[in-house]
Amino acid sequence: MVLSSIYKKSAKKLFQIHQPTLVQVVKDKDLAELQKLGGVDGVALALKTSADHGISVSDDDEVARRRESFCSTKRRKPITKGFLHYVKEGFLEHTITILMVCALLSLVLEGLGVNSQVQVQQSSLINGVSMFVTLFVIVAVSAVANYKRQKQFERISNVNNTTQVDVVRGGRRHQILISEILVGDVICLKIGDKVPADGLFLQGDPLQLDESSMTGAIGYVEVNHGQNPFLLSGTKVVDGYGRMMVTSVGTNTSQETTPLQARLKELTTSICKGGLAVNLLVLVVLVVKYFTGKTKDRNGNSQFRGSDTKFIKILKFVIQIIVDVVTILVAAIPAGLPMAMTLSFLHAIKRMMAADKVMVKKLSACEIMGSATIICTDKTGTLTMNQMRVAKFWQGKECLLEDRAYYSSMAPNLMELFREGTALNTTGSVYEASGEITGSQTEKAIISWAVKELQMDMEEVTRNSNIVHIEAFNSETKRSGVLTKRNDEDVSVLHVHWKGAAEVILAMCSSYYDSSGTVKDLDDNQKIEFQQIIEGMAASSLRCIAFAHASYAHDEDFNGQLKKDGLVLLGMVGIKDPCSPGAKKAVDVCMSAGVKVKMITGDNVFTAKAIATECGILRPDHDTNIGGAQVIEGVEFRNYSPQERMKKVDKICVMARSSPSDKLLMVQCLKQKGQVVAVIGDGTNDAPALQEADIGLSIMQGTEDAKDSSDIILLNDNFVSVVTVLKWGRYVYNNIEKVIQFQLTVNIAALVISFVATVSGEEVAFTTLELLWVNLIMDTLGALALASDKPTKELLIQKPPPPVDRTEPFITNIMWMNILPQALYQISVFFTLKLGGKSIFGVGVGGMVNETMMFNTFVLCQVFNVFNLRTLKQKNVFKGVLRNRFFMGIIAITIVLQVVMVEFMNKVAGTKRLGWEQWNFCIGIAAMSWPIGWVVKCIPVPEGRNLFAIAMESLLSYLKILLEM
């Protein structure tokens, strides 16, 4: 402890600045106090950093000293809930608490000697203790499941904290995790980045920041080296680029509830209300029967004999009624649904992250993606590999990339203009020591070409010129420009360089350089020829970038704007970005799964058509003419009338030269038509569309703004991963459907059996321990088994499931077809054994064997039915079952525990040991669930009237017959 204190004091002496003061200065944007600290340069000196070299982290001690002195962005972990917390939570659940209190009162009453017979007292005591033990087991199993679920959530949360930033350390640019940022770090910022920490502006083009998320102020704030150098964590860069120095650090986090969880909660509530209504009716019937003397003991005598009955006996009977009714209610509540859904979510998220390189930021993303009907995707980095290279170079009207001799003979002035236009008008950089190039993929391709072919020394070019003004690239104008002044020229001469989409730059030019370096006029006919060259490159799937230049006197009034007409076209490059190897197959899979894929890109329409055709988005039967049904440009789409847009939006497959507002408009139109829309984007301006979509996906190389606005990040930047998300989303939905079918089958059968048995004059159908055991099977073991299957190929050859936030019934006709026949069969078997078991089998004293067989058959029916519910439609329910060891393990555990309960826990469970013939009969009757399930799946399911309404009518008629027997 002493050594740590000494180390901390020595570390603080290394940095001659008071950290709390610096934090407050930046937070308050106090320029006067900043000047007292020596301004931005003085703070940089005190923190031992600089704009060009950043901090030195040559050894671990330097990092440790900075963390010790100023802390770091390492997030403090929230307090973890321990296992005992979930045990306590389980016991505080209302129904469990009621049963515990009733069991305790029952034991107390037995202790008071209500029953004079020792054997009866011992039996009652065993029942009370057994109930306690059973409740402890149920709570323990639930606590274990919840505790493991929390641990998995923590692991996923840690994985999600993978946001990276560009920093300069030791004179070199690096990418580090946001959690590794240190005070003094120099961070490179560009359009779309989120400021990762509080700091001060060092150098570069003045930044336009959106501070609305921090201050609530509407509009943008300019940050520069002079009047406002302050940057706040969480703000977003909307224009400009530069470098900042970190002065303090911090993080925050949040969580959410998914729509499917909300919908399941509604379903569970409805089931609980139905179960409560049935149980209240059972309670009334039991109470009336008791106080009217119709309730008999084992000797056939009335249990209530008016004033002759002791109050304690009445109290004990009332407590037993409450226990029976509450136990039935416990069995009716599908508590396993939330657990099954969470387990499915966690399993899917874990597998996607580990094997498929997909990071799910929100749980709702997984489920909604399973219901997606439309995917609107960008081109670069998803359908293509985002591995760009210059494939063609046009100087004037000649393609010269393959002519190596041309570069050595290029006119010196033209060569210099290309070098300046590349080195000064870029957000990329070259690390001289290793030759490493950083920046966007487009910038890296152009810089790599200039370094290799034009022998460009980027550091020398930037050293020989000063940047006067910058217009950063944005997706609306599709160009970037820079105004520069050469150090060796007259101060009155300025140079403007433009770079961007070829047709945009071409429209700004009035002349061009030919291959000999001569400037020629660019009339309308010449522009048509150049436009044909651009279209030819685009048709070859090339991205066309043009360079233009102009020089003018310093005294010309440009009003802070770069010259945008009368330019000289320097040349054009065609950048090749190959299609991802699996993109076409992935698009085909989406199409076969009932999900349409639309490409929305800012690229030239000819480039977009070529890539869309190569990827399978455009098919031979599509109208591929520009302005046709399938291929349009953004300007055409936005100029449609609202009615015309809604009419045509479904047919559009490719929208080229689109702006972010066009993408947003398309998403809004598709949603209005009832589609479930997924959007894939990578840029800052994609954020509105990502947020508007039902599900937003971004790529790892996208901007921080895009990743912040998305629900899922494709870590491998590949469209193939979209198929993975689609498959796992349907897997989650499919698992929930299976568990709902299983639990509703048990609920309907148990409630009907309990209600009919009580109303018809019999005792309760199942004992308390038997119902608790059924509840354990239904809520835990069955749910775990059904949630363990892996996603199958069949999930991707069927239509999307209904969206969870729409008005369609959550339980489909197919599900009702799987639920109702099995429930009716189980009810029929139970009452057949109940009413005729003794005469059929001639079994034992007091009907104990018959009651045990009824309970045993009911449980085994659930075990066999689990196999039926592994698939909704597929008749072969055993396909792949042996490969799922977890599923088979759960089935084996359930059967073993059932054997133990029937054969070895007779006194505790109130069961009677069964012989081989009786076991065979129970298994044979339960196994009939399989052929019934097969026959049901052969029956066509109607799409019209809900089967539940039809089934309820049939069920009421069936109950009437049973009550009359």
Coordinates of all heavy atoms in Angstrom, one line a residue, residues 344 347-348 351 355 727-728 730-732 734-735 738 784-795 870-871 874 879-887:
S344 N -32.3 -19.1 -25.7 CA -32.2 -19.1 -27.1 C -31.4 -17.8 -27.6 O -30.6 -17.9 -28.5 CB -33.6 -19.1 -27.8 OG -34.3 -20.3 -27.4
H347 N -27.7 -18.2 -26.6 CA -27.0 -19.2 -27.4 C -26.8 -18.7 -28.8 O -25.7 -18.9 -29.4 CB -27.9 -20.5 -27.5 CG -27.3 -21.6 -28.3 ND1 -26.1 -22.2 -28.0 CD2 -27.8 -22.3 -29.4 CE1 -25.8 -23.1 -28.9 NE2 -26.8 -23.2 -29.7
A348 N -27.8 -18.0 -29.4 CA -27.7 -17.5 -30.7 C -26.6 -16.4 -30.8 O -25.7 -16.4 -31.6 CB -29.0 -16.9 -31.2
R351 N -23.1 -18.0 -30.4 CA -22.6 -18.7 -31.5 C -22.3 -17.7 -32.7 O -21.3 -17.9 -33.4 CB -23.7 -19.7 -32.0 CG -23.8 -20.9 -31.1 CD -22.5 -21.7 -31.2 NE -22.2 -22.2 -32.5 CZ -22.7 -23.3 -33.1 NH1 -23.5 -24.0 -32.4 NH2 -22.4 -23.6 -34.4
A355 N -18.5 -18.0 -33.9 CA -18.3 -18.7 -35.2 C -18.5 -17.9 -36.4 O -17.9 -18.1 -37.5 CB -19.2 -19.9 -35.2
K727 N -30.8 -16.6 -40.1 CA -31.0 -17.9 -39.7 C -31.2 -18.0 -38.2 O -32.1 -18.6 -37.6 CB -29.8 -18.8 -40.1 CG -29.8 -20.2 -39.6 CD -28.6 -21.0 -40.1 CE -27.3 -20.5 -39.4 NZ -26.1 -21.2 -39.8
W728 N -30.3 -17.3 -37.4 CA -30.4 -17.3 -36.0 C -31.6 -16.6 -35.4 O -32.2 -16.9 -34.4 CB -29.1 -16.8 -35.4 CG -28.0 -17.8 -35.4 CD1 -26.9 -17.7 -36.3 CD2 -27.8 -18.9 -34.6 NE1 -26.1 -18.8 -36.0 CE2 -26.6 -19.5 -35.0 CE3 -28.5 -19.5 -33.5 CZ2 -26.1 -20.7 -34.4 CZ3 -28.0 -20.6 -32.9 CH2 -26.8 -21.2 -33.4
R730 N -34.5 -16.5 -36.9 CA -35.6 -17.4 -37.1 C -35.5 -18.6 -36.1 O -36.5 -19.1 -35.6 CB -35.7 -18.0 -38.5 CG -36.0 -16.9 -39.5 CD -36.3 -17.4 -40.9 NE -36.7 -16.4 -41.8 CZ -37.1 -16.6 -43.1 NH1 -37.1 -17.8 -43.5 NH2 -37.4 -15.6 -43.8
Y731 N -34.3 -18.9 -35.7 CA -34.0 -20.0 -34.7 C -34.7 -19.6 -33.4 O -35.3 -20.4 -32.7 CB -32.5 -20.2 -34.6 CG -32.1 -20.9 -33.4 CD1 -32.1 -22.3 -33.2 CD2 -31.6 -20.2 -32.3 CE1 -31.7 -22.9 -32.1 CE2 -31.2 -20.8 -31.1 CZ -31.2 -22.1 -31.0 OH -30.8 -22.8 -29.9
V732 N -34.4 -18.3 -33.0 CA -35.0 -17.9 -31.7 C -36.5 -17.9 -31.7 O -37.1 -18.4 -30.8 CB -34.5 -16.4 -31.4 CG1 -35.2 -15.8 -30.2 CG2 -33.0 -16.4 -31.1
N734 N -38.4 -19.7 -33.7 CA -38.8 -21.1 -33.8 C -38.8 -21.8 -32.5 O -39.7 -22.5 -32.1 CB -37.9 -21.8 -34.8 CG -38.4 -23.2 -35.1 OD1 -37.8 -24.2 -34.7 ND2 -39.5 -23.3 -35.8
N735 N -37.8 -21.5 -31.7 CA -37.6 -22.1 -30.3 C -38.8 -21.6 -29.4 O -39.3 -22.4 -28.7 CB -36.3 -21.7 -29.7 CG -35.2 -22.6 -30.2 OD1 -35.4 -23.6 -30.9 ND2 -34.0 -22.3 -29.7
K738 N -41.9 -23.5 -30.3 CA -41.9 -24.9 -29.8 C -42.2 -24.9 -28.3 O -43.0 -25.8 -27.9 CB -40.5 -25.5 -30.1 CG -40.2 -25.7 -31.6 CD -39.0 -26.6 -31.8 CE -37.7 -25.8 -31.4 NZ -36.5 -26.6 -31.8
L784 N -35.7 -26.3 -21.6 CA -34.2 -26.5 -21.9 C -34.0 -27.4 -23.1 O -33.2 -27.1 -24.0 CB -33.5 -27.0 -20.7 CG -33.2 -26.0 -19.5 CD1 -32.6 -26.8 -18.3 CD2 -32.3 -25.0 -20.0
A785 N -34.8 -28.5 -23.1 CA -34.6 -29.5 -24.2 C -35.0 -28.9 -25.5 O -34.3 -29.0 -26.5 CB -35.5 -30.7 -23.9
L786 N -36.1 -28.2 -25.6 CA -36.6 -27.6 -26.9 C -35.8 -26.4 -27.3 O -35.8 -26.1 -28.5 CB -38.1 -27.2 -26.7 CG -39.1 -28.4 -26.6 CD1 -40.5 -27.9 -26.3 CD2 -39.1 -29.2 -27.9
A787 N -35.1 -25.8 -26.4 CA -34.3 -24.6 -26.8 C -32.9 -25.0 -27.2 O -32.1 -24.1 -27.5 CB -34.3 -23.6 -25.6
S788 N -32.6 -26.3 -27.2 CA -31.2 -26.7 -27.4 C -30.9 -27.1 -28.8 O -29.7 -27.3 -29.2 CB -30.9 -27.9 -26.5 OG -31.7 -29.1 -26.8
D789 N -31.9 -27.3 -29.7 CA -31.7 -27.7 -31.0 C -31.0 -26.6 -31.8 O -31.2 -25.4 -31.6 CB -33.0 -28.1 -31.7 CG -33.4 -29.5 -31.6 OD1 -32.5 -30.4 -31.6 OD2 -34.6 -29.8 -31.5
K790 N -30.1 -27.0 -32.8 CA -29.4 -26.1 -33.6 C -30.3 -25.7 -34.8 O -31.3 -26.4 -35.1 CB -28.2 -26.7 -34.2 CG -27.1 -27.0 -33.1 CD -25.9 -27.7 -33.7 CE -24.9 -28.0 -32.6 NZ -23.6 -28.6 -33.1
P791 N -30.1 -24.5 -35.3 CA -30.9 -24.0 -36.5 C -30.7 -25.0 -37.7 O -29.6 -25.5 -37.9 CB -30.4 -22.6 -36.8 CG -29.0 -22.6 -36.2 CD -29.1 -23.5 -35.0
T792 N -31.8 -25.2 -38.4 CA -31.7 -26.1 -39.5 C -31.9 -25.3 -40.9 O -32.3 -24.2 -40.9 CB -32.9 -27.2 -39.4 OG1 -34.1 -26.5 -39.5 CG2 -32.8 -27.9 -38.2
K793 N -31.5 -26.0 -42.0 CA -31.7 -25.4 -43.3 C -33.1 -25.1 -43.6 O -33.4 -24.2 -44.4 CB -31.1 -26.3 -44.3 CG -29.6 -26.5 -44.2 CD -29.1 -27.5 -45.3 CE -27.6 -27.7 -45.2 NZ -27.0 -28.6 -46.3
E794 N -34.0 -25.8 -43.0 CA -35.5 -25.6 -43.3 C -35.9 -24.2 -42.9 O -36.9 -23.7 -43.5 CB -36.3 -26.7 -42.6 CG -36.3 -28.1 -43.2 CD -35.0 -28.8 -42.9 OE1 -34.2 -28.4 -42.0 OE2 -34.7 -29.8 -43.6
L795 N -35.2 -23.6 -42.0 CA -35.6 -22.3 -41.5 C -35.4 -21.3 -42.6 O -36.1 -20.2 -42.6 CB -34.8 -21.9 -40.3 CG -35.0 -22.6 -39.0 CD1 -34.0 -22.2 -37.9 CD2 -36.4 -22.4 -38.5
R870 N -40.3 -30.8 -31.6 CA -39.0 -30.4 -32.1 C -39.1 -29.6 -33.5 O -38.3 -28.8 -33.8 CB -38.0 -31.5 -32.3 CG -37.6 -32.1 -31.0 CD -36.6 -33.3 -31.2 NE -35.3 -32.8 -31.8 CZ -34.9 -33.2 -33.0 NH1 -35.6 -34.1 -33.7 NH2 -33.8 -32.8 -33.5
T871 N -40.2 -30.0 -34.2 CA -40.5 -29.3 -35.5 C -41.9 -28.9 -35.6 O -42.8 -29.6 -35.0 CB -40.1 -30.2 -36.7 OG1 -41.0 -31.3 -36.7 CG2 -38.7 -30.7 -36.6
Q874 N -42.4 -30.5 -39.9 CA -41.7 -31.7 -40.4 C -42.2 -33.0 -39.7 O -42.3 -33.1 -38.5 CB -40.2 -31.6 -40.1 CG -39.3 -32.6 -40.8 CD -37.9 -32.4 -40.6 OE1 -37.4 -31.2 -40.6 NE2 -37.1 -33.4 -40.4
K879 N -35.2 -36.6 -36.8 CA -34.0 -36.2 -37.6 C -33.1 -35.4 -36.8 O -33.4 -34.3 -36.2 CB -34.5 -35.3 -38.8 CG -33.4 -35.0 -39.8 CD -34.0 -34.2 -41.0 CE -32.9 -33.8 -41.9 NZ -33.4 -33.0 -43.1
G880 N -31.8 -35.9 -36.7 CA -30.8 -35.2 -36.0 C -30.9 -35.2 -34.5 O -30.1 -34.6 -33.8
V881 N -31.8 -36.0 -33.9 CA -32.0 -36.0 -32.5 C -30.8 -36.6 -31.7 O -30.5 -36.1 -30.7 CB -33.3 -36.7 -32.1 CG1 -33.2 -38.2 -32.3 CG2 -33.7 -36.4 -30.7
L882 N -30.2 -37.6 -32.3 CA -29.1 -38.3 -31.6 C -27.8 -37.4 -31.6 O -27.0 -37.6 -30.8 CB -28.8 -39.6 -32.3 CG -29.9 -40.7 -32.2 CD1 -29.5 -42.0 -32.9 CD2 -30.2 -41.0 -30.7
R883 N -27.8 -36.4 -32.5 CA -26.6 -35.5 -32.5 C -26.8 -34.4 -31.5 O -25.8 -33.8 -31.1 CB -26.5 -34.9 -33.9 CG -26.0 -35.8 -35.0 CD -25.6 -35.1 -36.2 NE -26.6 -34.3 -36.9 CZ -27.5 -34.8 -37.8 NH1 -27.3 -36.0 -38.2 NH2 -28.4 -34.0 -38.3
N884 N -28.0 -34.3 -31.0 CA -28.2 -33.3 -29.9 C -28.1 -33.9 -28.6 O -29.1 -34.4 -28.0 CB -29.6 -32.6 -30.1 CG -29.8 -31.4 -29.2 OD1 -29.0 -31.2 -28.2 ND2 -30.8 -30.6 -29.5
R885 N -26.9 -34.0 -28.1 CA -26.6 -34.8 -26.8 C -27.3 -34.1 -25.6 O -27.8 -34.7 -24.7 CB -25.1 -34.8 -26.5 CG -24.4 -35.7 -27.6 CD -22.9 -35.7 -27.3 NE -22.2 -36.5 -28.3 CZ -20.9 -36.7 -28.3 NH1 -20.1 -36.2 -27.3 NH2 -20.3 -37.4 -29.2
F886 N -27.4 -32.8 -25.7 CA -28.1 -32.0 -24.6 C -29.5 -32.4 -24.5 O -30.1 -32.7 -23.4 CB -27.9 -30.5 -24.8 CG -28.4 -29.7 -23.6 CD1 -27.6 -29.5 -22.5 CD2 -29.6 -29.1 -23.7 CE1 -28.1 -28.8 -21.4 CE2 -30.1 -28.3 -22.6 CZ -29.3 -28.2 -21.5
F887 N -30.2 -32.5 -25.6 CA -31.6 -32.8 -25.7 C -31.8 -34.2 -25.1 O -32.7 -34.5 -24.3 CB -32.1 -32.7 -27.1 CG -33.6 -33.1 -27.3 CD1 -34.6 -32.2 -27.2 CD2 -33.9 -34.5 -27.6 CE1 -35.9 -32.6 -27.3 CE2 -35.2 -34.9 -27.7 CZ -36.2 -33.9 -27.6

